[in-house]
PDB file of all heavy atoms in Angstrom:
ATOM      1  N   GLY A  13     113.831  96.745 119.139  1.00 96.00           N
ATOM      2  CA  GLY A  13     112.792  97.495 119.826  1.00 96.00           C
ATOM      3  C   GLY A  13     111.564  96.649 120.060  1.00 96.00           C
ATOM      4  O   GLY A  13     111.568  95.439 119.892  1.00 96.00           O
ATOM      5  N   ASN A  14     110.500  97.326 120.530  1.00 95.00           N
ATOM      6  CA  ASN A  14     109.281  96.646 120.825  1.00 95.00           C
ATOM      7  C   ASN A  14     108.600  96.102 119.592  1.00 95.00           C
ATOM      8  O   ASN A  14     108.653  96.740 118.526  1.00 95.00           O
ATOM      9  CB  ASN A  14     108.266  97.595 121.522  1.00 95.00           C
ATOM     10  CG  ASN A  14     108.787  98.049 122.899  1.00 95.00           C
ATOM     11  OD1 ASN A  14     109.437  97.244 123.585  1.00 95.00           O
ATOM     12  ND2 ASN A  14     108.490  99.250 123.306  1.00 95.00           N
ATOM     13  N   PRO A  15     108.023  94.919 119.622  1.00 95.00           N
ATOM     14  CA  PRO A  15     107.409  94.335 118.433  1.00 95.00           C
ATOM     15  C   PRO A  15     106.103  95.065 118.019  1.00 95.00           C
ATOM     16  O   PRO A  15     105.455  95.636 118.799  1.00 95.00           O
ATOM     17  CB  PRO A  15     107.088  92.906 118.852  1.00 95.00           C
ATOM     18  CG  PRO A  15     106.953  92.957 120.334  1.00 95.00           C
ATOM     19  CD  PRO A  15     107.919  94.051 120.808  1.00 95.00           C
ATOM     20  N   ARG A  16     105.845  95.029 116.687  1.00 95.00           N
ATOM     21  CA  ARG A  16     104.653  95.578 116.152  1.00 95.00           C
ATOM     22  C   ARG A  16     103.924  94.526 115.447  1.00 95.00           C
ATOM     23  O   ARG A  16     104.449  93.854 114.543  1.00 95.00           O
ATOM     24  CB  ARG A  16     104.924  96.759 115.220  1.00 95.00           C
ATOM     25  CG  ARG A  16     103.723  97.223 114.511  1.00 95.00           C
ATOM     26  CD  ARG A  16     103.762  98.603 114.022  1.00 95.00           C
ATOM     27  NE  ARG A  16     102.493  99.038 113.430  1.00 95.00           N
ATOM     28  CZ  ARG A  16     102.071 100.273 113.430  1.00 95.00           C
ATOM     29  NH1 ARG A  16     102.818 101.218 114.009  1.00 95.00           N
ATOM     30  NH2 ARG A  16     100.900 100.651 112.879  1.00 95.00           N
ATOM     31  N   GLN A  17     102.629  94.243 115.826  1.00 96.00           N
ATOM     32  CA  GLN A  17     101.853  93.222 115.189  1.00 96.00           C
ATOM     33  C   GLN A  17     101.491  93.574 113.758  1.00 96.00           C
ATOM     34  O   GLN A  17     101.127  94.762 113.385  1.00 96.00           O
ATOM     35  CB  GLN A  17     100.597  92.999 116.000  1.00 96.00           C
ATOM     36  CG  GLN A  17     100.805  92.539 117.436  1.00 96.00           C
ATOM     37  CD  GLN A  17     101.436  91.162 117.561  1.00 96.00           C
ATOM     38  OE1 GLN A  17     101.114  90.289 116.707  1.00 96.00           O
ATOM     39  NE2 GLN A  17     102.230  90.983 118.612  1.00 96.00           N
ATOM     40  N   ILE A  18     101.505  92.524 112.863  1.00 96.00           N
ATOM     41  CA  ILE A  18     101.061  92.698 111.524  1.00 96.00           C
ATOM     42  C   ILE A  18      99.770  91.855 111.380  1.00 96.00           C
ATOM     43  O   ILE A  18      99.791  90.673 111.113  1.00 96.00           O
ATOM     44  CB  ILE A  18     102.103  92.235 110.525  1.00 96.00           C
ATOM     45  CG1 ILE A  18     103.462  92.842 110.809  1.00 96.00           C
ATOM     46  CG2 ILE A  18     101.622  92.550 109.043  1.00 96.00           C
ATOM     47  CD1 ILE A  18     103.479  94.354 110.709  1.00 96.00           C
ATOM     48  N   VAL A  19      98.644  92.467 111.608  1.00 93.00           N
ATOM     49  CA  VAL A  19      97.367  91.786 111.618  1.00 93.00           C
ATOM     50  C   VAL A  19      96.885  91.520 110.256  1.00 93.00           C
ATOM     51  O   VAL A  19      96.475  90.382 109.840  1.00 93.00           O
ATOM     52  CB  VAL A  19      96.283  92.552 112.410  1.00 93.00           C
ATOM     53  CG1 VAL A  19      94.974  91.804 112.402  1.00 93.00           C
ATOM     54  CG2 VAL A  19      96.792  92.767 113.884  1.00 93.00           C
ATOM     55  N   SER A  20      96.925  92.523 109.354  1.00 92.00           N
ATOM     56  CA  SER A  20      96.482  92.356 107.995  1.00 92.00           C
ATOM     57  C   SER A  20      97.511  92.959 107.069  1.00 92.00           C
ATOM     58  O   SER A  20      98.309  92.281 106.495  1.00 92.00           O
ATOM     59  CB  SER A  20      95.055  93.008 107.761  1.00 92.00           C
ATOM     60  OG  SER A  20      95.090  94.320 108.180  1.00 92.00           O
ATOM     61  N   GLY A  21      97.499  94.252 106.936  1.00 94.00           N
ATOM     62  CA  GLY A  21      98.439  94.985 106.088  1.00 94.00           C
ATOM     63  C   GLY A  21      99.030  96.206 106.737  1.00 94.00           C
ATOM     64  O   GLY A  21      98.254  96.993 107.396  1.00 94.00           O
ATOM     65  N   VAL A  22     100.319  96.370 106.689  1.00 97.00           N
ATOM     66  CA  VAL A  22     100.993  97.552 107.221  1.00 97.00           C
ATOM     67  C   VAL A  22     101.915  98.140 106.229  1.00 97.00           C
ATOM     68  O   VAL A  22     102.863  97.431 105.775  1.00 97.00           O
ATOM     69  CB  VAL A  22     101.786  97.191 108.529  1.00 97.00           C
ATOM     70  CG1 VAL A  22     102.602  98.341 109.037  1.00 97.00           C
ATOM     71  CG2 VAL A  22     100.806  96.729 109.610  1.00 97.00           C
ATOM     72  N   SER A  23     101.776  99.395 105.912  1.00 98.00           N
ATOM     73  CA  SER A  23     102.723 100.026 104.948  1.00 98.00           C
ATOM     74  C   SER A  23     103.737 100.878 105.693  1.00 98.00           C
ATOM     75  O   SER A  23     103.472 101.263 106.843  1.00 98.00           O
ATOM     76  CB  SER A  23     101.880 100.965 104.013  1.00 98.00           C
ATOM     77  OG  SER A  23     101.151 101.909 104.745  1.00 98.00           O
ATOM     78  N   ILE A  24     104.943 101.007 105.072  1.00 98.00           N
ATOM     79  CA  ILE A  24     106.051 101.715 105.716  1.00 98.00           C
ATOM     80  C   ILE A  24     106.557 102.755 104.686  1.00 98.00           C
ATOM     81  O   ILE A  24     106.696 102.452 103.516  1.00 98.00           O
ATOM     82  CB  ILE A  24     107.210 100.749 106.103  1.00 98.00           C
ATOM     83  CG1 ILE A  24     106.700  99.631 106.934  1.00 98.00           C
ATOM     84  CG2 ILE A  24     108.340 101.502 106.826  1.00 98.00           C
ATOM     85  CD1 ILE A  24     107.773  98.549 107.227  1.00 98.00           C
ATOM     86  N   GLY A  25     106.783 103.968 105.176  1.00 98.00           N
ATOM     87  CA  GLY A  25     107.274 105.025 104.270  1.00 98.00           C
ATOM     88  C   GLY A  25     107.455 106.335 104.979  1.00 98.00           C
ATOM     89  O   GLY A  25     107.570 106.367 106.240  1.00 98.00           O
ATOM     90  N   ARG A  26     107.593 107.393 104.213  1.00 97.00           N
ATOM     91  CA  ARG A  26     107.826 108.706 104.802  1.00 97.00           C
ATOM     92  C   ARG A  26     106.522 109.352 105.243  1.00 97.00           C
ATOM     93  O   ARG A  26     106.482 110.186 106.175  1.00 97.00           O
ATOM     94  CB  ARG A  26     108.495 109.638 103.787  1.00 97.00           C
ATOM     95  CG  ARG A  26     109.945 109.272 103.524  1.00 97.00           C
ATOM     96  CD  ARG A  26     110.651 110.373 102.666  1.00 97.00           C
ATOM     97  NE  ARG A  26     110.853 111.575 103.491  1.00 97.00           N
ATOM     98  CZ  ARG A  26     111.294 112.654 103.019  1.00 97.00           C
ATOM     99  NH1 ARG A  26     111.634 112.796 101.659  1.00 97.00           N
ATOM    100  NH2 ARG A  26     111.489 113.779 103.731  1.00 97.00           N
ATOM    101  N   ALA A  27     105.433 109.061 104.565  1.00 96.00           N
ATOM    102  CA  ALA A  27     104.127 109.790 104.851  1.00 96.00           C
ATOM    103  C   ALA A  27     102.988 108.862 104.431  1.00 96.00           C
ATOM    104  O   ALA A  27     103.101 108.013 103.529  1.00 96.00           O
ATOM    105  CB  ALA A  27     104.055 111.112 104.105  1.00 96.00           C
ATOM    106  N   ASN A  28     101.808 109.104 105.078  1.00 94.00           N
ATOM    107  CA  ASN A  28     100.571 108.385 104.743  1.00 94.00           C
ATOM    108  C   ASN A  28     100.689 106.885 104.817  1.00 94.00           C
ATOM    109  O   ASN A  28     100.101 106.160 104.024  1.00 94.00           O
ATOM    110  CB  ASN A  28     100.140 108.810 103.336  1.00 94.00           C
ATOM    111  CG  ASN A  28      99.992 110.290 103.151  1.00 94.00           C
ATOM    112  OD1 ASN A  28      99.456 110.953 104.031  1.00 94.00           O
ATOM    113  ND2 ASN A  28     100.451 110.844 102.051  1.00 94.00           N
ATOM    114  N   CYS A  29     101.436 106.433 105.840  1.00 97.00           N
ATOM    115  CA  CYS A  29     101.576 104.985 106.082  1.00 97.00           C
ATOM    116  C   CYS A  29     101.306 104.628 107.493  1.00 97.00           C
ATOM    117  O   CYS A  29     101.206 105.523 108.331  1.00 97.00           O
ATOM    118  CB  CYS A  29     103.039 104.535 105.748  1.00 97.00           C
ATOM    119  SG  CYS A  29     103.484 104.704 104.013  1.00 97.00           S
ATOM    120  N   GLU A  30     101.129 103.325 107.811  1.00 96.00           N
ATOM    121  CA  GLU A  30     100.922 102.948 109.184  1.00 96.00           C
ATOM    122  C   GLU A  30     102.222 103.176 110.003  1.00 96.00           C
ATOM    123  O   GLU A  30     102.145 103.454 111.234  1.00 96.00           O
ATOM    124  CB  GLU A  30     100.512 101.515 109.233  1.00 96.00           C
ATOM    125  CG  GLU A  30      99.007 101.194 108.916  1.00 96.00           C
ATOM    126  CD  GLU A  30      98.750 101.374 107.429  1.00 96.00           C
ATOM    127  OE1 GLU A  30      99.735 101.086 106.649  1.00 96.00           O
ATOM    128  OE2 GLU A  30      97.633 101.746 107.078  1.00 96.00           O
ATOM    129  N   ILE A  31     103.347 103.050 109.355  1.00 97.00           N
ATOM    130  CA  ILE A  31     104.631 103.285 110.042  1.00 97.00           C
ATOM    131  C   ILE A  31     105.307 104.344 109.204  1.00 97.00           C
ATOM    132  O   ILE A  31     105.694 104.152 108.037  1.00 97.00           O
ATOM    133  CB  ILE A  31     105.529 102.036 110.065  1.00 97.00           C
ATOM    134  CG1 ILE A  31     104.780 100.904 110.879  1.00 97.00           C
ATOM    135  CG2 ILE A  31     106.867 102.338 110.739  1.00 97.00           C
ATOM    136  CD1 ILE A  31     105.579  99.589 110.955  1.00 97.00           C
ATOM    137  N   ASN A  32     105.495 105.559 109.787  1.00 97.00           N
ATOM    138  CA  ASN A  32     106.075 106.642 109.074  1.00 97.00           C
ATOM    139  C   ASN A  32     107.421 107.084 109.641  1.00 97.00           C
ATOM    140  O   ASN A  32     107.583 107.132 110.830  1.00 97.00           O
ATOM    141  CB  ASN A  32     105.105 107.918 109.098  1.00 97.00           C
ATOM    142  CG  ASN A  32     103.765 107.652 108.407  1.00 97.00           C
ATOM    143  OD1 ASN A  32     103.793 107.308 107.262  1.00 97.00           O
ATOM    144  ND2 ASN A  32     102.655 107.860 109.095  1.00 97.00           N
ATOM    145  N   TYR A  33     108.296 107.472 108.750  1.00 97.00           N
ATOM    146  CA  TYR A  33     109.656 108.021 109.098  1.00 97.00           C
ATOM    147  C   TYR A  33     109.836 109.257 108.265  1.00 97.00           C
ATOM    148  O   TYR A  33     110.572 109.222 107.230  1.00 97.00           O
ATOM    149  CB  TYR A  33     110.724 106.993 108.852  1.00 97.00           C
ATOM    150  CG  TYR A  33     110.647 105.729 109.663  1.00 97.00           C
ATOM    151  CD1 TYR A  33     110.119 104.616 109.104  1.00 97.00           C
ATOM    152  CD2 TYR A  33     111.095 105.716 110.971  1.00 97.00           C
ATOM    153  CE1 TYR A  33     109.982 103.458 109.836  1.00 97.00           C
ATOM    154  CE2 TYR A  33     110.989 104.591 111.744  1.00 97.00           C
ATOM    155  CZ  TYR A  33     110.452 103.422 111.133  1.00 97.00           C
ATOM    156  OH  TYR A  33     110.330 102.250 111.893  1.00 97.00           O
ATOM    157  N   PRO A  34     109.214 110.395 108.628  1.00 97.00           N
ATOM    158  CA  PRO A  34     109.297 111.659 107.786  1.00 97.00           C
ATOM    159  C   PRO A  34     110.660 112.207 107.607  1.00 97.00           C
ATOM    160  O   PRO A  34     110.871 112.949 106.670  1.00 97.00           O
ATOM    161  CB  PRO A  34     108.342 112.582 108.500  1.00 97.00           C
ATOM    162  CG  PRO A  34     108.272 112.089 109.924  1.00 97.00           C
ATOM    163  CD  PRO A  34     108.422 110.563 109.848  1.00 97.00           C
ATOM    164  N   GLN A  35     111.560 111.817 108.475  1.00 96.00           N
ATOM    165  CA  GLN A  35     112.928 112.452 108.382  1.00 96.00           C
ATOM    166  C   GLN A  35     113.942 111.569 107.629  1.00 96.00           C
ATOM    167  O   GLN A  35     115.098 111.925 107.468  1.00 96.00           O
ATOM    168  CB  GLN A  35     113.444 112.656 109.859  1.00 96.00           C
ATOM    169  CG  GLN A  35     112.601 113.449 110.711  1.00 96.00           C
ATOM    170  CD  GLN A  35     112.274 114.840 110.182  1.00 96.00           C
ATOM    171  OE1 GLN A  35     113.198 115.475 109.598  1.00 96.00           O
ATOM    172  NE2 GLN A  35     111.023 115.335 110.306  1.00 96.00           N
ATOM    173  N   ASP A  36     113.461 110.420 107.077  1.00 97.00           N
ATOM    174  CA  ASP A  36     114.368 109.527 106.354  1.00 97.00           C
ATOM    175  C   ASP A  36     114.379 109.876 104.841  1.00 97.00           C
ATOM    176  O   ASP A  36     113.384 109.563 104.140  1.00 97.00           O
ATOM    177  CB  ASP A  36     113.950 108.065 106.512  1.00 97.00           C
ATOM    178  CG  ASP A  36     114.955 107.113 105.984  1.00 97.00           C
ATOM    179  OD1 ASP A  36     115.804 107.542 105.155  1.00 97.00           O
ATOM    180  OD2 ASP A  36     114.930 105.963 106.424  1.00 97.00           O
ATOM    181  N   PRO A  37     115.408 110.524 104.327  1.00 95.00           N
ATOM    182  CA  PRO A  37     115.408 110.964 102.931  1.00 95.00           C
ATOM    183  C   PRO A  37     115.484 109.818 101.919  1.00 95.00           C
ATOM    184  O   PRO A  37     115.179 110.022 100.735  1.00 95.00           O
ATOM    185  CB  PRO A  37     116.652 111.829 102.823  1.00 95.00           C
ATOM    186  CG  PRO A  37     117.555 111.305 103.891  1.00 95.00           C
ATOM    187  CD  PRO A  37     116.682 110.835 105.026  1.00 95.00           C
ATOM    188  N   ARG A  38     115.809 108.632 102.345  1.00 95.00           N
ATOM    189  CA  ARG A  38     115.937 107.471 101.483  1.00 95.00           C
ATOM    190  C   ARG A  38     114.608 106.761 101.258  1.00 95.00           C
ATOM    191  O   ARG A  38     114.579 105.813 100.402  1.00 95.00           O
ATOM    192  CB  ARG A  38     117.007 106.525 101.914  1.00 95.00           C
ATOM    193  CG  ARG A  38     118.421 107.078 101.921  1.00 95.00           C
ATOM    194  CD  ARG A  38     119.437 105.997 102.201  1.00 95.00           C
ATOM    195  NE  ARG A  38     120.832 106.520 102.114  1.00 95.00           N
ATOM    196  CZ  ARG A  38     121.878 105.794 102.330  1.00 95.00           C
ATOM    197  NH1 ARG A  38     121.765 104.524 102.621  1.00 95.00           N
ATOM    198  NH2 ARG A  38     123.080 106.313 102.256  1.00 95.00           N
ATOM    199  N   LEU A  39     113.622 107.142 101.989  1.00 97.00           N
ATOM    200  CA  LEU A  39     112.335 106.462 101.882  1.00 97.00           C
ATOM    201  C   LEU A  39     111.363 107.165 100.948  1.00 97.00           C
ATOM    202  O   LEU A  39     111.410 108.431 100.833  1.00 97.00           O
ATOM    203  CB  LEU A  39     111.645 106.365 103.225  1.00 97.00           C
ATOM    204  CG  LEU A  39     112.174 105.404 104.285  1.00 97.00           C
ATOM    205  CD1 LEU A  39     111.361 105.508 105.542  1.00 97.00           C
ATOM    206  CD2 LEU A  39     112.222 104.012 103.738  1.00 97.00           C
ATOM    207  N   SER A  40     110.647 106.449 100.122  1.00 97.00           N
ATOM    208  CA  SER A  40     109.558 107.021  99.373  1.00 97.00           C
ATOM    209  C   SER A  40     108.345 107.173 100.293  1.00 97.00           C
ATOM    210  O   SER A  40     108.306 106.630 101.371  1.00 97.00           O
ATOM    211  CB  SER A  40     109.172 106.026  98.203  1.00 97.00           C
ATOM    212  OG  SER A  40     110.268 105.883  97.359  1.00 97.00           O
ATOM    213  N   ASP A  41     107.434 108.023  99.879  1.00 97.00           N
ATOM    214  CA  ASP A  41     106.251 108.310 100.740  1.00 97.00           C
ATOM    215  C   ASP A  41     105.562 106.987 101.104  1.00 97.00           C
ATOM    216  O   ASP A  41     105.288 106.749 102.298  1.00 97.00           O
ATOM    217  CB  ASP A  41     105.222 109.174  99.972  1.00 97.00           C
ATOM    218  CG  ASP A  41     105.672 110.662  99.977  1.00 97.00           C
ATOM    219  OD1 ASP A  41     106.659 110.960 100.680  1.00 97.00           O
ATOM    220  OD2 ASP A  41     105.071 111.455  99.292  1.00 97.00           O
ATOM    221  N   ARG A  42     105.264 106.156 100.144  1.00 97.00           N
ATOM    222  CA  ARG A  42     104.782 104.798 100.415  1.00 97.00           C
ATOM    223  C   ARG A  42     105.791 103.811  99.856  1.00 97.00           C
ATOM    224  O   ARG A  42     105.887 103.644  98.654  1.00 97.00           O
ATOM    225  CB  ARG A  42     103.394 104.541  99.849  1.00 97.00           C
ATOM    226  CG  ARG A  42     102.263 105.246 100.614  1.00 97.00           C
ATOM    227  CD  ARG A  42     100.921 105.023  99.959  1.00 97.00           C
ATOM    228  NE  ARG A  42     100.552 103.634  99.817  1.00 97.00           N
ATOM    229  CZ  ARG A  42     100.117 102.825 100.780  1.00 97.00           C
ATOM    230  NH1 ARG A  42      99.924 103.363 101.987  1.00 97.00           N
ATOM    231  NH2 ARG A  42      99.834 101.574 100.579  1.00 97.00           N
ATOM    232  N   HIS A  43     106.657 103.267 100.721  1.00 98.00           N
ATOM    233  CA  HIS A  43     107.832 102.544 100.296  1.00 98.00           C
ATOM    234  C   HIS A  43     107.604 101.060 100.194  1.00 98.00           C
ATOM    235  O   HIS A  43     107.984 100.454  99.168  1.00 98.00           O
ATOM    236  CB  HIS A  43     108.940 102.825 101.309  1.00 98.00           C
ATOM    237  CG  HIS A  43     110.344 102.499 100.791  1.00 98.00           C
ATOM    238  ND1 HIS A  43     111.266 103.438 100.448  1.00 98.00           N
ATOM    239  CD2 HIS A  43     110.920 101.244 100.610  1.00 98.00           C
ATOM    240  CE1 HIS A  43     112.375 102.809 100.029  1.00 98.00           C
ATOM    241  NE2 HIS A  43     112.188 101.515 100.158  1.00 98.00           N
ATOM    242  N   ALA A  44     107.027 100.439 101.204  1.00 98.00           N
ATOM    243  CA  ALA A  44     106.917  99.018 101.181  1.00 98.00           C
ATOM    244  C   ALA A  44     105.660  98.599 101.927  1.00 98.00           C
ATOM    245  O   ALA A  44     105.053  99.418 102.700  1.00 98.00           O
ATOM    246  CB  ALA A  44     108.135  98.283 101.882  1.00 98.00           C
ATOM    247  N   LEU A  45     105.185  97.346 101.737  1.00 98.00           N
ATOM    248  CA  LEU A  45     103.943  96.829 102.318  1.00 98.00           C
ATOM    249  C   LEU A  45     104.123  95.471 102.833  1.00 98.00           C
ATOM    250  O   LEU A  45     104.710  94.626 102.190  1.00 98.00           O
ATOM    251  CB  LEU A  45     102.821  96.840 101.290  1.00 98.00           C
ATOM    252  CG  LEU A  45     101.430  96.274 101.761  1.00 98.00           C
ATOM    253  CD1 LEU A  45     100.876  97.195 102.845  1.00 98.00           C
ATOM    254  CD2 LEU A  45     100.491  96.148 100.608  1.00 98.00           C
ATOM    255  N   LEU A  46     103.768  95.243 104.123  1.00 98.00           N
ATOM    256  CA  LEU A  46     103.734  93.979 104.776  1.00 98.00           C
ATOM    257  C   LEU A  46     102.273  93.462 104.764  1.00 98.00           C
ATOM    258  O   LEU A  46     101.373  94.171 105.176  1.00 98.00           O
ATOM    259  CB  LEU A  46     104.270  94.023 106.177  1.00 98.00           C
ATOM    260  CG  LEU A  46     105.760  94.227 106.361  1.00 98.00           C
ATOM    261  CD1 LEU A  46     106.070  94.743 107.730  1.00 98.00           C
ATOM    262  CD2 LEU A  46     106.539  92.926 106.085  1.00 98.00           C
ATOM    263  N   SER A  47     102.060  92.206 104.321  1.00 97.00           N
ATOM    264  CA  SER A  47     100.707  91.699 104.230  1.00 97.00           C
ATOM    265  C   SER A  47     100.621  90.326 104.895  1.00 97.00           C
ATOM    266  O   SER A  47     101.432  89.447 104.628  1.00 97.00           O
ATOM    267  CB  SER A  47     100.321  91.555 102.835  1.00 97.00           C
ATOM    268  OG  SER A  47     100.293  92.754 102.100  1.00 97.00           O
ATOM    269  N   ASN A  48      99.734  90.212 105.870  1.00 96.00           N
ATOM    270  CA  ASN A  48      99.428  88.903 106.553  1.00 96.00           C
ATOM    271  C   ASN A  48      98.232  88.323 105.928  1.00 96.00           C
ATOM    272  O   ASN A  48      97.062  88.819 106.240  1.00 96.00           O
ATOM    273  CB  ASN A  48      99.239  89.197 108.030  1.00 96.00           C
ATOM    274  CG  ASN A  48      99.072  87.893 108.869  1.00 96.00           C
ATOM    275  OD1 ASN A  48      98.751  86.850 108.284  1.00 96.00           O
ATOM    276  ND2 ASN A  48      99.152  88.010 110.146  1.00 96.00           N
ATOM    277  N   ARG A  49      98.350  87.313 105.124  1.00 93.00           N
ATOM    278  CA  ARG A  49      97.165  86.727 104.442  1.00 93.00           C
ATOM    279  C   ARG A  49      97.397  85.262 104.183  1.00 93.00           C
ATOM    280  O   ARG A  49      98.586  84.847 103.944  1.00 93.00           O
ATOM    281  CB  ARG A  49      96.866  87.459 103.121  1.00 93.00           C
ATOM    282  CG  ARG A  49      97.944  87.378 102.061  1.00 93.00           C
ATOM    283  CD  ARG A  49      97.473  88.101 100.768  1.00 93.00           C
ATOM    284  NE  ARG A  49      98.315  87.798  99.614  1.00 93.00           N
ATOM    285  CZ  ARG A  49      99.434  88.467  99.378  1.00 93.00           C
ATOM    286  NH1 ARG A  49      99.812  89.492 100.050  1.00 93.00           N
ATOM    287  NH2 ARG A  49     100.115  88.114  98.298  1.00 93.00           N
ATOM    288  N   GLU A  50      96.360  84.482 104.232  1.00 90.00           N
ATOM    289  CA  GLU A  50      96.450  83.061 103.874  1.00 90.00           C
ATOM    290  C   GLU A  50      97.449  82.334 104.732  1.00 90.00           C
ATOM    291  O   GLU A  50      98.162  81.378 104.292  1.00 90.00           O
ATOM    292  CB  GLU A  50      96.676  82.867 102.397  1.00 90.00           C
ATOM    293  CG  GLU A  50      95.653  83.464 101.522  1.00 90.00           C
ATOM    294  CD  GLU A  50      95.995  83.448 100.070  1.00 90.00           C
ATOM    295  OE1 GLU A  50      97.117  83.011  99.714  1.00 90.00           O
ATOM    296  OE2 GLU A  50      95.129  83.802  99.159  1.00 90.00           O
ATOM    297  N   GLY A  51      97.689  82.739 105.989  1.00 93.00           N
ATOM    298  CA  GLY A  51      98.559  82.084 106.849  1.00 93.00           C
ATOM    299  C   GLY A  51     100.038  82.279 106.461  1.00 93.00           C
ATOM    300  O   GLY A  51     100.922  81.557 106.911  1.00 93.00           O
ATOM    301  N   LYS A  52     100.348  83.389 105.799  1.00 95.00           N
ATOM    302  CA  LYS A  52     101.701  83.763 105.424  1.00 95.00           C
ATOM    303  C   LYS A  52     101.944  85.241 105.517  1.00 95.00           C
ATOM    304  O   LYS A  52     100.947  86.043 105.521  1.00 95.00           O
ATOM    305  CB  LYS A  52     101.993  83.287 103.976  1.00 95.00           C
ATOM    306  CG  LYS A  52     101.905  81.822 103.716  1.00 95.00           C
ATOM    307  CD  LYS A  52     102.078  81.466 102.264  1.00 95.00           C
ATOM    308  CE  LYS A  52     101.956  79.944 102.068  1.00 95.00           C
ATOM    309  NZ  LYS A  52     102.130  79.569 100.584  1.00 95.00           N
ATOM    310  N   LEU A  53     103.208  85.602 105.649  1.00 97.00           N
ATOM    311  CA  LEU A  53     103.524  87.039 105.694  1.00 97.00           C
ATOM    312  C   LEU A  53     104.370  87.398 104.447  1.00 97.00           C
ATOM    313  O   LEU A  53     105.297  86.704 104.108  1.00 97.00           O
ATOM    314  CB  LEU A  53     104.399  87.344 106.940  1.00 97.00           C
ATOM    315  CG  LEU A  53     104.759  88.844 107.167  1.00 97.00           C
ATOM    316  CD1 LEU A  53     103.449  89.643 107.403  1.00 97.00           C
ATOM    317  CD2 LEU A  53     105.701  88.961 108.370  1.00 97.00           C
ATOM    318  N   PHE A  54     103.945  88.431 103.783  1.00 98.00           N
ATOM    319  CA  PHE A  54     104.563  88.867 102.494  1.00 98.00           C
ATOM    320  C   PHE A  54     105.123  90.271 102.663  1.00 98.00           C
ATOM    321  O   PHE A  54     104.557  91.113 103.374  1.00 98.00           O
ATOM    322  CB  PHE A  54     103.576  88.812 101.358  1.00 98.00           C
ATOM    323  CG  PHE A  54     103.026  87.454 101.066  1.00 98.00           C
ATOM    324  CD1 PHE A  54     101.847  87.035 101.702  1.00 98.00           C
ATOM    325  CD2 PHE A  54     103.686  86.586 100.210  1.00 98.00           C
ATOM    326  CE1 PHE A  54     101.377  85.810 101.420  1.00 98.00           C
ATOM    327  CE2 PHE A  54     103.227  85.294  99.922  1.00 98.00           C
ATOM    328  CZ  PHE A  54     101.992  84.924 100.575  1.00 98.00           C
ATOM    329  N   LEU A  55     106.221  90.530 101.928  1.00 98.00           N
ATOM    330  CA  LEU A  55     106.806  91.840 101.852  1.00 98.00           C
ATOM    331  C   LEU A  55     106.858  92.247 100.371  1.00 98.00           C
ATOM    332  O   LEU A  55     107.366  91.522  99.556  1.00 98.00           O
ATOM    333  CB  LEU A  55     108.261  91.816 102.407  1.00 98.00           C
ATOM    334  CG  LEU A  55     109.092  93.073 102.251  1.00 98.00           C
ATOM    335  CD1 LEU A  55     108.495  94.250 103.060  1.00 98.00           C
ATOM    336  CD2 LEU A  55     110.572  92.820 102.701  1.00 98.00           C
ATOM    337  N   ALA A  56     106.366  93.435 100.078  1.00 98.00           N
ATOM    338  CA  ALA A  56     106.364  93.950  98.724  1.00 98.00           C
ATOM    339  C   ALA A  56     106.927  95.359  98.707  1.00 98.00           C
ATOM    340  O   ALA A  56     106.651  96.167  99.590  1.00 98.00           O
ATOM    341  CB  ALA A  56     104.931  94.047  98.209  1.00 98.00           C
TER     342      ALA A  56
END
């Protein structure tokens, strides 16, 4: 699909995130976090 920029931090989950998938039962409300810092990209 279309790219999404990660400028600083982007969270992914079912609710209360920058990227939400409310219909996905396998996701926690706040599931994971992408962080762009110090010239690197991190996934937590």
Side-chain angles (χ1 to χ4, degrees):
N14 295 326
R16 172 156 187 151
Q17 300 292 328
I18 311 297
V19 178
S20 55
V22 172
S23 58
I24 306 174
R26 290 190 69 186
N28 303 317
C29 295
E30 283 75 29
I31 301 178
N32 294 306
Y33 297 98
Q35 305 303 320
D36 189 340
R38 293 188 177 181
L39 288 181
S40 299
D41 283 350
R42 286 180 55 81
H43 195 107
L45 177 66
L46 288 160
S47 302
N48 183 346
R49 65 178 192 272
E50 301 172 354
K52 299 177 181 179
L53 184 64
F54 298 92
L55 173 65

